[in-house]
Amino acid sequence: MDAQGRGRAENVDPADQWVLNPNTGEYELRLTPSAPQPTVPGPRGSAPAPSRPGAPRGRTTTPVAPGRDVPPPRRRRGAPPEEPLPGRRGRRPAKQKSTAKKTLLWTGGTMAFVLVAGAATGYFYLKHLEGNVGTTDVGDAAASNFSKDEAFDILIIGTDKRTGEGNDGYGDAGSVGHADTNILLHVAKDRTNATALSIPRDLIVDIPDCRTKQEDGTETVVAGQEGVRFNRSLGERGRDAGCTMRTVEAATGIKPDHFVMADFNAVKTLTTAVDGVDVCVEKAVDDKQSKLVLPAGTSKVEGEQALAFVRTRHAFGNSGDLDRIKVQQQFLGSLMRKMTSGDTLTSPTKLLKLAEAATNALTVDKAIGKVGTLKDIALELKKVPTKNISFMTTPVVDNPAEPVPVTVVIDDSKAPQVFDAINNDVSFTEVKAQQKKDKAEVAARLKGTKSAASDVRVRILNGGAAGGSAQLQLSYLQTKAGVTKSENAGNADAALAKTTLEYAPDQADQARRLADIMGLSGSALKPGKSVTNAQGLPAMTLTLGKDFKGAGVKLNSAAVAPPPGVSTADKVQCAS
């Protein structure tokens, strides 16, 4: 071993080798004669690291792309000066006195992937993390790329596959990995809120045919099945995560954009990386099957104990899967609070452990397995306040086909409105800023005189409502509401999530009357300009959006409400 190799210390913190240059605002590598060499890739042409033993199929190790961003070693005393590399910013700064500045590199973003979450760090380290992440090509079941400007849906799958030490007590022996825990995470376009919708593994669904790629590169179609449990959409008959994504779309009408998958080991390694997660139970727990022992009140769990907490069926409620889902949601909220706490984000050591644990636990679709995409997702997720991340379970009822129900089916009276709300990017949380804005709009736009219904002139467009809605609403306005000066203007150019009414300033009294008739909120009223109707007179424009409930039904009559049992990530709750 050469001198350099002998001098390398195992306990050197990589964060100590990068410092923030206050003059440039960029991080630069600090090398001193006594400092060990950084754990970043060497020059172009160096041999790639061997793949990790035991990695799942599709897992690849991607070497960090070398480049001039890594400064060369300091020249020896007496050697002639070297020409600076292109883009070099001159001399490195002295060591920073503030540890906080140095740790900013590691707090660039937090990958809040719920069960399989981790911390985003600097660019070079993310390149290393990319090599940890396994990928699966699921074809057109997933989106081809990730957009930072749109709402997105990520299907998070926790499998019952056993890997690692000490997992003999969980899952089926030799399981290929079924979809044991399933959460559809919807992140709103404006990043003010997110919804984590749990899908029970015992939900009866129809699994569609799905195309999967084999190890030799060939493709095969796995035949679908009707009336089976959701968890069979993964693993059985060679089904991959793309089959689970297609099953979600068939059952809910929501098409996931991407997937993130991990097994039992993820809970153990992630909770250990953050030095434990706080959980709360109303009564003391002593479960012989999971070996979970907790006193009443708040406790900290990590590793094997954390896995026992999220896997136990017999310690809470009616010992069923739905009760276990509630406990898992409470656990995930606590894990997210711990990951985003100052204690974690300001500790380079914890962030490094968390990043390594998370990426080693993950398998994702190819589109989000790249370093830049992981960084973008991390930063977008970081924008969502934990108080506006709501956890809920797909509305279900006991399976009526079973004398003693052990499975569930979708509740057709409640589930469709939940699915529609997610598809239409509607938040289930109360965003205070939006509420304040809406109240101001209501006060300003709905307050004042109202014209007679017979004086209201309006053109009606269908902008996303059910077919024929514009004509049906026109008939209602003319025959029931006295708005005789109204007409059907056909379809709008684009679909809208919410109904709007655009009007000119001198039509405000007409707008208030129509808002009163239809139950429009102040935010639905859009001051603008008038249009010319069939008689050549100025008229308002009413565009019926996807929230239109039917002719004569006021839009404020029955707002979409979250199903019972909804919780948010910022609240501490006790399992019972």
Side-chain angles (χ1 to χ4, degrees):
M1 184 181 293
D2 57 23
Q4 186 184 62
R6 289 193 301 268
R8 180 175 290 126
E10 294 296 331
N11 60 353
V12 172
D13 190 340
D16 288 333
Q17 298 180 32
W18 291 88
V19 294
L20 179 68
N21 186 338
N23 298 319
T24 66
E26 296 185 358
Y27 283 89
E28 298 178 1
L29 186 66
R30 183 187 67 223
L31 295 175
T32 65
S34 60
Q37 295 301 309
T39 54
V40 292
R44 190 180 304 275
S46 60
S51 60
R52 249 183 331 105
R57 189 183 77 190
R59 188 177 292 276
T60 57
T61 301
T62 305
V64 180
R68 64 187 181 210
D69 295 309
V70 180
R74 298 175 62 187
R75 64 185 179 88
R76 284 180 269 182
R77 183 175 300 174
E82 299 175 354
E83 289 296 324
L85 291 173
R88 183 73 178 259
R89 294 185 177 270
R91 298 180 61 188
R92 61 182 181 278
K95 182 177 181 179
Q96 301 297 315
K97 294 181 179 180
S98 171
T99 303
K101 290 183 179 179
K102 182 171 58 180
T103 60
L104 286 176
L105 176 64
W106 311 103
T107 58
T110 301
M111 299 192 311
F113 283 138
V114 195
L115 266 180
V116 285
T121 62
Y123 176 81
F124 287 109
Y125 194 64
L126 274 178
K127 293 288 276 185
H128 159 70
L129 296 181
E130 181 178 317
N132 292 347
V133 181
T135 60
T136 300
D137 186 352
V138 295
D140 60 4
S144 59
N145 54 37
F146 172 75
S147 175
K148 295 189 290 184
D149 302 319
E150 298 295 334
F152 61 91
D153 298 276
I154 296 180
L155 178 61
I156 300 164
I157 307 170
T159 78
D160 59 1
K161 189 173 183 178
R162 298 180 183 176
T163 63
E165 298 294 329
N167 289 326
D168 293 341
Y170 301 99
D172 298 327
S175 173
V176 292
H178 298 98
D180 191 62
T181 298
N182 310 278
I183 297 175
L184 183 63
L185 176 65
H186 173 81
V187 180
K189 182 177 181 178
D190 61 8
R191 308 299 187 247
T192 61
N193 64 88
T195 300
L197 178 69
S198 291
I199 302 173
R201 71 173 193 174
D202 294 332
L203 175 67
I204 296 300
V205 295
D206 293 338
I207 301 175
D209 296 347
C210 63
R211 185 175 297 277
T212 62
K213 289 199 174 184
Q214 307 303 300
E215 290 183 2
D216 60 3
T218 61
E219 293 186 350
T220 185
V221 175
V222 182
Q225 291 178 278
E226 296 182 354
V228 296
R229 298 187 189 208
F230 183 91
N231 67 339
R232 297 173 64 180
S233 65
L234 178 70
E236 190 168 303
R237 301 187 181 184
R239 294 187 177 106
D240 61 17
C243 301
T244 309
M245 297 174 75
R246 296 180 195 278
T247 304
V248 169
E249 182 179 8
T252 68
I254 304 168
K255 180 177 173 58
D257 298 301
H258 306 285
F259 84 88
V260 174
M261 183 167 62
D263 57 30
F264 288 145
N265 240 23
V267 175
K268 295 167 63 173
T269 56
L270 288 174
T271 53
T272 300
V274 296
D275 293 339
V277 171
D278 292 332
V279 298
C280 181
V281 294
E282 290 187 358
K283 300 178 181 179
V285 174
D286 187 357
D287 183 9
K288 305 301 182 184
Q289 294 194 21
S290 68
K291 300 180 177 59
L292 177 65
V293 178
L294 291 175
T298 301
S299 301
K300 179 183 289 187
V301 297
E302 66 176 274
E304 190 70 32
Q305 193 179 32
L307 179 56
F309 183 82
V310 298
R311 288 292 302 157
T312 182
R313 280 173 169 268
H314 304 284
F316 310 111
N318 297 318
S319 302
D321 190 49
L322 296 181
D323 290 307
R324 186 180 67 162
I325 286 175
K326 293 178 183 178
V327 174
Q328 290 173 343
Q329 291 172 348
Q330 295 166 13
F331 174 85
L332 295 177
S334 182
L335 177 59
M336 294 175 69
R337 291 192 298 273
K338 185 62 176 288
M339 289 192 311
T340 56
S341 68
D343 182 53
T344 299
L345 294 180
T346 58
S347 170
T349 301
K350 285 185 180 180
L351 284 171
L352 283 171
K353 289 167 59 180
L354 186 55
E356 291 288 351
T359 54
N360 274 301
L362 297 181
T363 298
V364 302
D365 58 278
K366 279 197 167 183
I368 63 173
K370 299 298 182 182
V371 57
T373 311
L374 289 174
K375 180 193 69 174
D376 291 341
I377 292 176
L379 295 177
E380 293 306 306
L381 289 169
K382 188 182 178 185
K383 296 176 182 178
V384 183
T386 55
K387 67 178 181 179
N388 293 331
I389 300 175
S390 56
F391 292 99
M392 66 181 68
T393 303
T394 300
V396 295
V397 295
D398 289 338
N399 188 350
E402 297 173 338
V404 179
V406 294
T407 62
V408 294
V409 296
I410 286 179
D411 185 345
D412 291 329
S413 67
K414 298 178 181 178
Q417 65 175 336
V418 173
F419 301 152
D420 287 344
I422 293 175
N423 258 330
N424 294 323
D425 205 21
V426 175
S427 171
F428 286 99
T429 57
E430 295 181 353
V431 183
K432 293 182 179 180
Q434 186 61 45
Q435 282 188 322
K436 184 177 180 180
K437 179 180 178 182
D438 284 347
K439 288 180 180 179
E441 289 174 341
V442 169
R445 296 177 185 175
L446 297 183
K447 186 177 181 180
T449 59
K450 302 180 182 70
S451 67
S454 58
D455 292 332
V456 174
R457 287 191 298 271
V458 61
R459 299 173 73 247
I460 306 173
L461 295 170
N462 190 333
S469 292
Q471 184 59 42
L472 291 173
Q473 181 65 10
L474 174 67
S475 298
Y476 169 79
L477 290 177
Q478 290 183 340
T479 61
K480 302 292 185 181
V483 184
T484 55
K485 297 175 182 177
S486 51
E487 62 186 52
N488 184 349
N491 293 325
D493 293 334
L496 300 178
K498 297 183 178 181
T499 299
T500 63
L501 177 63
E502 184 177 2
Y503 58 96
D506 61 351
Q507 296 172 318
D509 56 344
Q510 296 181 45
R512 286 190 284 269
R513 173 56 65 190
L514 190 58
D516 183 59
I517 293 172
M518 293 187 60
L520 298 175
S521 67
S523 60
L525 273 58
K526 307 295 182 183
K529 59 183 180 180
S530 63
V531 293
T532 302
N533 65 9
Q535 289 74 42
L537 298 173
M540 301 182 295
T541 299
L542 174 67
T543 305
L544 305 179
K546 294 179 180 179
D547 62 339
F548 182 69
K549 302 176 185 299
V553 181
K554 292 192 175 186
L555 279 105
N556 60 2
S557 62
V560 175
V566 174
S567 60
T568 54
D570 64 318
K571 296 292 191 300
V572 177
Q573 294 186 322
C574 293
S576 60

